[in-house]
Amino acid sequence: MKKLFLLTLFFCLFSPLWADVSPKPEMEFSFIYNTAEKTPIDALHSEQIQCRDNQCIESKPLGVYGLQKLYCQPDGCFSIAYSYDNYQKLIIAFSDGTTRESNVFAAPDSLRARFNVYVNEDDLTVKPSAQKADSRAWARRDAWVSLGLILIIELLAAAAYLSYRKKSFTILYSVGLSNLLTTAVSWLVLSMYVKETAFLWIFCLAAETLIIRLMNLRKISLYDSFMLSLTTNVTSYSLGMIISFLLAPLIF
């Protein structure tokens, strides 16, 4: 158990990617045209640039890395990243062959944020939107895939732990319920107000421990509830990155 705890601490302190399929930093871009015609976006040749400074002297493309990518449709874009640099810039190509570059803008201080992109004749102007990011993100395919993967992985890990500790398998019901609740709160509420996915991990660990304990007062101690939650979360976060990389081309 001590080794498991140390492994978890290592993930918390040193993992730069937070290897799971739960909510990640996202930016949603709504395009507003100040031009005579509304030209569709060319998704294939558009990109988001990560900048270390507000002059974008040190920069690199957001790139494609598992789920991390700029996703564009003819009328708008959104991006997912495992971690954004402090500043960003858009280079958007349009179907008429033109390309426009935006100003450098600061990354948001929450996991999910919305920006307005004003399309001018020669460039783009990106400004934070007063509107909150789309709360319907839970309905996207990646949210449902996330929920399915988390449930499968964590229930299997929980079954292994309960077998090892010789505990009743009826406790699995509380593990499933706690995962449904924490996943819903993470996607629908917390992702709108927190910036670090580490906070989501700590929240899920604490909340699931409490729910499992309260639903099984006579079957499992607080210590075992914590270790059960720790085991399931470490397992899902460890395997999540591998699985998300494999499924990324199919999710969007």
Side-chain angles (χ1 to χ4, degrees):
M1 292 301 177
K2 289 183 179 179
K3 291 182 179 179
L4 183 59
F5 178 78
L6 291 174
L7 178 61
T8 303
L9 184 62
F10 174 82
F11 273 100
C12 292
L13 296 178
F14 300 108
S15 174
L17 300 176
W18 287 96
D20 74 308
V21 285
S22 62
K24 293 177 177 61
E26 297 183 13
M27 296 185 191
E28 181 182 345
F29 301 101
S30 299
F31 283 69
I32 300 171
Y33 285 79
N34 294 327
T35 56
E37 295 184 3
K38 184 177 179 179
T39 310
I41 297 169
D42 179 357
L44 184 61
H45 299 98
S46 299
E47 61 182 340
Q48 185 170 343
I49 304 299
Q50 302 238 55
C51 306
R52 292 287 184 89
D53 57 274
N54 59 7
Q55 300 298 315
C56 212
I57 297 174
E58 294 185 46
S59 63
K60 61 181 179 181
L62 179 65
V64 179
Y65 189 65
L67 293 174
Q68 178 171 297
K69 184 182 178 182
L70 175 67
Y71 300 85
C72 287
Q73 300 294 332
D75 59 348
C77 300
F78 77 95
S79 67
I80 298 176
Y82 294 105
S83 178
Y84 287 114
D85 282 348
N86 292 332
Y87 297 93
Q88 306 290 311
K89 183 169 66 173
L90 292 178
I91 300 177
I92 301 297
F94 294 87
S95 60
D96 61 0
T98 61
T99 300
R100 294 176 176 86
E101 188 171 317
S102 80
N103 57 302
V104 178
F105 57 96
D109 56 1
S110 61
L111 284 177
R112 189 170 289 131
R114 172 177 282 180
F115 292 86
N116 289 331
V117 181
Y118 297 90
V119 182
N120 308 313
E121 290 296 337
D122 300 314
D123 60 13
L124 306 172
T125 303
V126 179
K127 295 182 179 181
S129 173
Q131 293 180 305
K132 290 185 178 180
D134 192 351
S135 60
R136 294 172 298 174
W138 62 270
R140 287 199 327 238
R141 188 184 303 173
D142 59 316
W144 287 101
V145 170
S146 169
L147 177 60
L149 288 175
I150 289 174
L151 283 175
I152 292 171
I153 293 173
E154 297 203 2
L155 284 174
L156 289 174
Y161 179 88
L162 293 172
S163 176
Y164 172 75
R165 295 287 291 175
K166 296 181 173 57
K167 301 291 183 181
S168 172
F169 278 177
T170 59
I171 297 173
L172 287 174
Y173 290 106
S174 61
V175 174
L177 179 60
S178 65
N179 270 275
L180 287 172
L181 292 174
T182 55
T183 300
V185 172
S186 295
W187 277 92
L188 298 176
V189 181
L190 295 181
S191 62
M192 304 291 291
Y193 300 102
V194 301
K195 184 176 183 178
E196 300 295 337
T197 51
F199 180 88
L200 297 182
W201 193 91
I202 294 170
F203 164 77
C204 290
L205 177 63
E208 289 169 17
T209 296
L210 183 61
I211 294 170
I212 293 170
R213 169 59 176 161
L214 292 177
M215 291 184 66
N216 303 278
L217 291 173
R218 297 183 179 181
K219 297 178 181 179
I220 193 169
S221 65
L222 181 60
Y223 170 81
D224 272 319
S225 297
F226 172 74
M227 294 309 299
L228 176 58
S229 179
L230 187 64
T231 300
T232 57
N233 278 282
V234 167
T235 303
S236 65
Y237 276 67
S238 300
L239 296 179
M241 178 64 73
I242 298 173
I243 295 173
S244 66
F245 265 65
L246 293 175
L247 294 182
L250 306 176
I251 292 178
F252 291 102

